Amino acid sequence: MSRTLTAPRTLPGVWLPRLAWGALAYNVLVILWGAVVRLTGAGAGCGDHWPLCNGVVVPQNPTLHTVIEFSHRLTSGASGLLAIALVGLAFLVTRPGHPARFGAVLSLGLIVLEGLVGGVQVLLGLTAQSTDPARGFVQGIHLANTFLLLGALLLTALWASGAPRLRLRGQGLAGLWSFTGLGLVLALGMAGAVTALGDLLFLPADGTPIDTVRRDFAATAGVIENLRVVHPMLAVLTAAFLVWLGLFLRRERPSAQVNRWSVTLWGVLALQMVAGFANVAFKAPAWMQLTHLLLACALWLAAVLLTYHALTALRATRPAPAGVAA
């Protein structure tokens, strides 16, 4: 059987997977710091200027909000430099057609898009206390791009570590249901971004969650408030599907990796559901929203890993019916 990849032997080749895994971990931290910018209302810390901050490269006599927003831009810029280094190293140590090259280029493209979406938010004034419905739309797009970026970096790290390329054709129901699961997690994250924005701009009502829902559909409520209820409803549907998906893939694509990552996915899902309920019960404090976001990233990565290992595993062989020759 021919080998698609060979383990890198040179020093730069050894550093390729390390850089890829490091870039993945670093971008998770950048995402969490971006949430801190939103939660502190510091999104307008650089005014309506982008990529400059208050019209200059380095702000003078900055306020606290300026420091928070400017530091986020610096950390985001560093993620771009990491992506450029990842592309350069991938092309240096791998042969043409190696999947790590594709993953690195895709990651760089998504990081550029991430920056452009953030720039659009700033230039259109969709930051700080803006309640423009367009802000909810852009926030959802931002989250979707973030998840896709994490997925691309994860695949790049796997391929740089010698894992086989992903084959999409001929996967049958295993492929269909796996990508349906990924689509649901992506949609859930986008809805969660809108809900988190709603919790920031429109604090949950005193009393029970039902009181908040009633206020969200009052005559004076806006679109962002109306959409806040979508996330918990979609969470229940997605959770049920992911539990079933894990069982389905364990049967259709049995392997140690599929078993391991299905259990991991279920574990992260259980923690996320508990965090979701706690977020509602405690009326969405900042620390709980950050925990919820971190678990959302972990849930997405676990779903990507389960899908990857399921689609690279051998199909399950079933015994032929009685009376039929093998």
Side-chain angles (χ1 to χ4, degrees):
M1 181 176 63
S2 63
R3 295 172 61 187
T4 303
L5 304 176
T6 56
R9 300 288 184 182
T10 63
L11 184 60
V14 171
W15 274 101
L16 178 59
R18 295 177 182 176
L19 180 61
W21 287 113
L24 174 61
Y26 177 77
N27 274 274
V28 171
L29 295 178
V30 173
I31 291 165
L32 294 177
W33 188 244
V36 171
V37 174
R38 173 178 54 81
L39 290 168
T40 56
C46 287
D48 58 356
H49 298 89
W50 185 91
L52 299 177
C53 183
N54 291 326
V56 296
V57 176
V58 178
Q60 305 297 316
N61 301 317
T63 65
L64 178 59
H65 279 184
T66 301
V67 170
I68 294 173
E69 168 63 9
F70 187 65
S71 65
H72 176 56
R73 294 189 183 188
L74 290 178
T75 55
S76 298
S79 69
L81 295 178
L82 276 176
I84 293 173
L86 189 60
V87 171
L89 193 56
F91 275 78
L92 177 66
V93 304
T94 63
R95 296 178 179 178
H98 195 292
R101 290 188 175 192
F102 169 75
V105 171
L106 178 61
S107 299
L108 176 59
L110 289 169
I111 283 180
V112 171
L113 184 57
E114 187 91 336
L116 292 176
V117 173
V120 167
Q121 283 187 287
V122 172
L123 294 175
L124 295 182
L126 304 177
T127 57
Q129 299 304 311
S130 171
T131 60
D132 190 324
R135 185 180 180 185
F137 174 77
V138 175
Q139 196 86 4
I141 296 298
H142 206 14
L143 191 284
N145 189 79
T146 294
F147 272 14
L148 293 176
L149 169 61
L150 292 182
L153 287 169
L154 174 59
L155 290 175
T156 304
L158 289 171
W159 289 327
S161 302
R165 67 175 68 245
L166 188 62
R167 181 174 57 85
L168 301 180
R169 293 183 178 180
Q171 293 289 353
L173 289 177
L176 173 63
W177 296 131
S178 293
F179 284 107
T180 299
L182 290 178
L184 283 173
V185 176
L186 193 64
L188 179 62
M190 295 174 70
V194 176
T195 296
L197 179 62
D199 289 339
L200 173 68
L201 299 176
F202 310 98
L203 296 177
D206 294 331
T208 68
I210 299 298
D211 295 317
T212 300
V213 174
R214 288 173 178 165
R215 193 191 66 184
D216 286 349
F217 286 93
T220 57
V223 175
I224 294 177
E225 291 173 279
N226 296 158
L227 294 176
R228 182 154 48 179
V229 73
V230 173
H231 179 63
M233 296 172 61
L234 188 58
V236 174
L237 172 64
T238 302
F241 185 86
L242 291 179
V243 170
W244 174 84
L245 178 64
L247 294 172
F248 174 78
L249 293 177
R250 288 163 72 97
R251 183 180 73 249
E252 293 295 316
R253 302 294 171 88
S255 72
Q257 294 285 5
V258 169
N259 290 345
R260 179 180 300 115
W261 286 108
S262 60
V263 171
T264 301
L265 178 65
W266 293 336
V268 177
L269 180 62
L271 290 175
Q272 183 68 310
M273 295 297 287
V274 171
F277 283 115
N279 204 33
V280 173
F282 296 147
K283 299 188 183 299
W287 66 270
M288 196 67 248
Q289 289 197 43
L290 288 173
T291 301
H292 205 35
L293 177 60
L294 177 61
L295 288 172
C297 293
L299 181 67
W300 168 253
L301 292 174
V304 172
L305 279 166
L306 175 60
T307 297
Y308 172 81
H309 288 296
L311 299 188
T312 53
L314 296 176
R315 295 176 183 269
T317 56
R318 294 182 174 81
V324 177

